[in-house]
Amino acid sequence: GLFLTRYTDRGQSSMLIASQMEPTYARRVYPCFDEPAMKATFNIRIIHDPSYVALSNMPAIDVSEVKDENGSLWTVTTFNTSLKMSTYLTAFVICDFDYVSRTERGNEIRIWARKEAIKNGYVDYALNITGPIFSFLEDILNVSYPLPKTDLVALPDFGAGGMENWGLMIFQEAALMNLPSDEFTSKKAIIALIVSHELGHQWFGNLVTMNWWNDLWLNEGLASYFEYLGATFVEPKLSLDKIFYAHVVQPVLREDSEIARSLSESEDKIKGSFSLMSLFDNITYSKGAAITWMLSSFLTEKLFVRALASYLKEFSFSNANQDDLWTHIQMVVDAQDEVQLPAPVKQIMDSWTCQNGFPVLTLNLTTGTVRQEQFFNKNNRKSTDSYNNTWIIPISWMRNGSSQPLTWLDTSSKMFPEMQVSESEYDWILLNVNLSGYYRVNYDQLNLKRLAHLLENDPKAIPAVSRFQLIDDVFALTEFGYVPIETALELTKYLAREDELFIWNMVLLNLIPDNFESTLKNHEVYPLLKKYLLKRMLPIYHYYAGFIRQNVDALEDDFFAQMYLEKLMATACWLGLQDCLDLSSELFAKWRDNPEYKIPFLVRRTVCCYGVAVGTDKEWNFAWEMYNHTDSIEEDEDILLYALSCTKEPWLLHRYLQYGLSDTLFSSNCTSVIISHVMTKDIGHRIAWEFVTENWPLLSQGYGHELLHDVLKVMGRFVKTDVQIQELQVFYNATLEEDEREAITTLLESAKHENVERRKLLIKVASWLEKNVDD
């Protein structure tokens, strides 16, 4: 609704009022029929304190004064009548901000922010890209932007990342600002993506709105698709397909198999069982974008954009549902003969938007048979579950490195004679190239052997995104019980020749999940993993370590280094690579000698952690001192809170937890952060657990049960036997209510089950590594 924010600007305390209506908060601000399909024009007038400026969707056409009954002067700002629009897009901001502006094709673009932020040039980058992205979208969609002005407002405090209100977009400050001196692509990319997303909404959402919230993906999926096109247009150094796969497709494939809803649900189902807010999730945004990408691939971008233009023109200032989009695509397909589809557009697309989940394709290359089934977790399938969905699936594929014509699987299984391979081990097949389909692929052993062999001899014969897909698919298939873990490990042998960080990042997340480092460290698999992985990591590690030592600015255009180098370096140090530990202590010592020195942000977290870990209490005390410096920025504070828990000295961890208790040193929410940091460390989890149980009376006053839940979740990672569960139970039986106890017991039981399963898996991994560690 309408909300008030307090913030500081130039050392002064200030206030502003702003609005957030989507999905159903307009009714809290003014009486209305608050439904997306009930579009209207709005005449808006705001009466406010003269020292503030008032903004709304349309330009102000009149500013006058009025006295109230006490004789005080007020300003009356009247805005032009809006276009026909939905209530959830109306917006108001009353603030004391400055702005920078420029005009693009007659559209006046202003970016408003705190005065000091404007003065320091923090929004200059956002201003430089907004106009060009507008023009890019106008040109590609062939529909011009209908408003005379656009305001983008950066709020110090805003619940969403951004909101696309027509003509008055509102952003979280961090999403719109960067330091003019910061030439690193990653920060710019984040701003470009979010601006591009909200600008995409000016067409998909604002000009044409979904009939009702059950088709929200027509707004969010399309805006998320254009978000990546727009961002890579203004930042051409970003690789569109790699980023789209790593940030959109792969994460949502991980999630989509566990979620019980389809992209487009019926109105009744949503009114019955979902809250509207829960629709603003990864399915709506990322699956929506991934399916749009697939659609654009099999139609060709030319036809897809032509259909979108026709859809936008017909439904401008009005509403549509997904069938309307299918109709316009069908019209465009029918009017040409280059692209032939195996079925009507609606039938193809409904299989992706109206069914839960997605398919996995299983190949038999001796017979050339491809069959599909819904991808689900075979390890915990109940016999009653039925998974008999089928999809109409576009298959883009290559054979021995050359692209083949697009083909379709429109039944549950089909023979493709052209996919039968010969005896030659150089005859291989790769499906779903250019990530053109939203599915996973399960190859037969024969083809996987050939692909593994190819990777070892000539990894570049397979395009980078396809290498990523191939390996990620196999790990996902392993996890869901389709193939044994050894199959996935075979594909990692080639990694010494892999120079793409985004692929390394995915492999490391699969092999060493973020939260299991400490459990792996205590397992016999660790020394084997160390030997196997370090041998393969050295080339890429040394390549990047050279930049970190000599010239980190040379990496300013390397987006993936800024996103993923940290994980690579942290893994190298975790595996005990001497050069990594030395590099960390060198850079940390440099900082100790000169607190003005900045450790490169790409690896700051790892360097601080291992600087403390290999150091003594001197290093620890220095980090503590720097944490307590008043002028440190929040990001660095988080890094230091984490680094302080990396020490290998139990007495320092004890002391750290004690410091965390004394409320003078900390804002209250840090205590629980400290406890969970210490608890995730291999020597810390017992220390932290004892600390929590001894100090519970004190802790429970400040944090209550939330803290206990977090603590028990982390302790769950270490639970392998019933005796261990009982030990935890004794404690929480005395502290929790009965219904909460049951929930925690279930949580720990399933954690134990997972840990037992994981140990079985690790035994397999260890025995495979033993055989392969010297290859």
Side-chain angles (χ1 to χ4, degrees), residues 672 696 703-713 736 740:
S672 56
W696 185 246
Y703 308 97
H705 295 163
E706 213 170 298
L707 174 66
L708 189 56
H709 278 258
D710 294 346
V711 164
L712 288 164
K713 249 201 199 100
L736 288 180
E740 292 185 293

Side-chain angles (χ1 to χ4, degrees), residues 712-736:
L712 288 164
K713 249 201 199 100
V714 178
M715 287 305 287
R717 292 178 204 164
F718 301 94
V719 177
K720 297 182 201 71
T721 62
D722 290 335
V723 176
Q724 288 169 309
I725 291 191
Q726 281 156 7
E727 182 200 354
L728 299 179
Q729 246 167 347
V730 168
F731 175 66
Y732 68 81
N733 279 349
T735 50
L736 288 180

Side-chain angles (χ1 to χ4, degrees), residues 290-343:
I291 276 173
T292 304
W293 181 290
M294 174 171 72
L295 175 60
S296 174
S297 296
F298 73 69
L299 286 175
T300 69
E301 192 170 0
K302 188 177 76 179
L303 290 188
F304 179 54
V305 165
R306 192 181 298 167
L308 287 178
S310 134
Y311 162 84
L312 287 168
K313 288 192 175 81
E314 170 153 350
F315 297 102
S316 287
F317 307 107
S318 165
N319 298 74
N321 58 29
Q322 67 170 19
D323 284 351
D324 297 318
L325 180 58
W326 307 154
T327 304
H328 280 262
I329 294 171
Q330 191 67 56
M331 283 167 15
V332 166
V333 170
D334 292 345
Q336 53 82 58
D337 45 18
E338 278 165 53
V339 175
Q340 300 293 327
L341 299 181

Side-chain angles (χ1 to χ4, degrees), residues 167-195:
L168 178 56
M169 287 172 257
I170 297 179
F171 296 83
Q172 166 68 37
E173 214 174 61
L176 220 48
M177 291 188 185
N178 76 328
L179 303 166
S181 59
D182 182 358
E183 280 303 315
F184 281 90
T185 317
S186 59
K187 186 69 181 123
K188 291 179 177 176
I190 289 162
I191 298 171
L193 286 165
I194 208 149
V195 168

Side-chain angles (χ1 to χ4, degrees), residues 488-515:
L489 294 168
E490 287 292 334
L491 289 178
T492 64
K493 284 181 171 175
Y494 88 99
L495 281 168
R497 302 189 59 178
E498 182 54 78
D499 56 6
E500 289 276 5
L501 264 179
F502 84 115
I503 295 178
W504 264 105
N505 186 65
M506 172 272 299
V507 171
L508 293 176
L509 285 174
N510 277 304
L511 286 176
I512 307 163
D514 270 346
N515 43 3

Side-chain angles (χ1 to χ4, degrees), residues 363-402:
L363 253 77
N364 176 337
L365 290 188
T366 329
T367 59
T369 310
V370 183
R371 65 183 173 79
Q372 59 163 304
E373 63 178 311
Q374 182 160 357
F375 187 60
F376 63 90
N377 194 334
K378 295 193 165 182
N379 304 323
N380 47 22
R381 178 179 192 173
K382 301 177 222 23
S383 53
T384 52
D385 293 349
S386 65
Y387 290 103
N388 50 7
N389 289 348
T390 54
W391 286 261
I392 302 180
I393 305 172
I395 303 178
S396 54
W397 61 295
M398 61 164 52
R399 182 167 185 164
N400 313 339
S402 59

